[in-house]
């Protein structure tokens, strides 16, 4: 199981019901495949950075899920087929989360070490940090 | 970045160039997320190209994460590929 974020853009002219229907469908795909849904976020309408299918606006929806490759594949297939969806992207996020965790731990360790060794002056420390 | 030289040949104009620092290191921004358009757009100038390191001063590990994030954001139309 890996953590993925699936973000897609729905045609802004679609009705709210349609978006809910798409969400429900994806939800069903994920849960029936044994995945978990961590978050469904409707990010709302926003301007697209460039034209897609002659549209300048889009309705963004974000899914955060723990799933495996097959589930993601199926989700992408469905999104491709749906007419209202104009664009989608899947991003793997667990690598990033792990990296952040590592940085946090490292900082904690450093802070602990610094707390015990009071030899270094405060100004010296801040320069050291800036150099990093 | 060139290191500030101690002695310069005579006649050469001397000026002090401020050492550039990596924004992400200084402000301790750990995650460079593709959804954070506000942050990313600071590194995409007018032409929508990714700002080079020599101008922004971002360190290479962070530049790598940054350019990945910008490319992802472009894919989902959060950032432009090019300005029309």
């Amino acid at each position: 199981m890996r953590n993925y974020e699936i973000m897609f853009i729905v045609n802004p002219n679609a009705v709210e019901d349609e978006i809910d229907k798409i969400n429900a469908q994806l939800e069903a795909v994920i849960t029936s495949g044994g995945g978990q849904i961590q978050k469904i976020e409707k990010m709302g309408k926003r301007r697209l950075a460039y034209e897609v299918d002659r549209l300048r606006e889009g309705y963004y929806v974000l899914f955060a899920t723990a799933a495996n490759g097959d589930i993601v594949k199926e989700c992408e297939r469905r999104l491709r087929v749906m007419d209202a969806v104009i664009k989608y992207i899947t991003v793997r996020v667990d690598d990033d989360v792990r990296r952040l965790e590592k940085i946090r731990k490292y900082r904690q360790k450093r802070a602990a070490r610094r707390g015990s060794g009071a030899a270094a002056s405060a100004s010296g420390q801040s320069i050291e940090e800036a150099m990093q | 970045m060139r290191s500030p030289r101690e002695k310069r040949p005579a006649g050469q104009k001397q000026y002090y160039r401020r050492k550039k620092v990596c924004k992400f290191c200084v402000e301790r921004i750990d995650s460079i997320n593709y959804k954070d358009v506000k942050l990313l757009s600071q590194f995409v100038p007018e032409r929508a190209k990714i700002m080079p390191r020599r101008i922004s001063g971002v360190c290479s590990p962070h530049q790598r994460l940054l350019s990945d994030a910008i490319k992802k954001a472009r894919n989902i139309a959060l950032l432009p590929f090019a300005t029309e």
Side-chain angles (χ1 to χ4, degrees), chain A residues 82-99:
Chain A
M82 282 182 239
D83 289 329
V85 177
I86 55 178
K87 229 168 183 357
Y88 64 86
I89 191 175
T90 313
V91 177
R92 207 180 127 184
V93 285
D94 45 359
D95 270 351
D96 210 42
V97 170
R98 218 171 296 140
R99 197 177 57 82

Side-chain angles (χ1 to χ4, degrees), chain A residues 72-90:
Chain A
V72 173
K73 219 170 170 181
E74 176 62 14
C75 284
E76 289 197 339
R77 195 189 65 78
R78 298 254 176 143
L79 288 171
R80 210 165 24 235
V81 168
M82 282 182 239
D83 289 329
V85 177
I86 55 178
K87 229 168 183 357
Y88 64 86
I89 191 175
T90 313

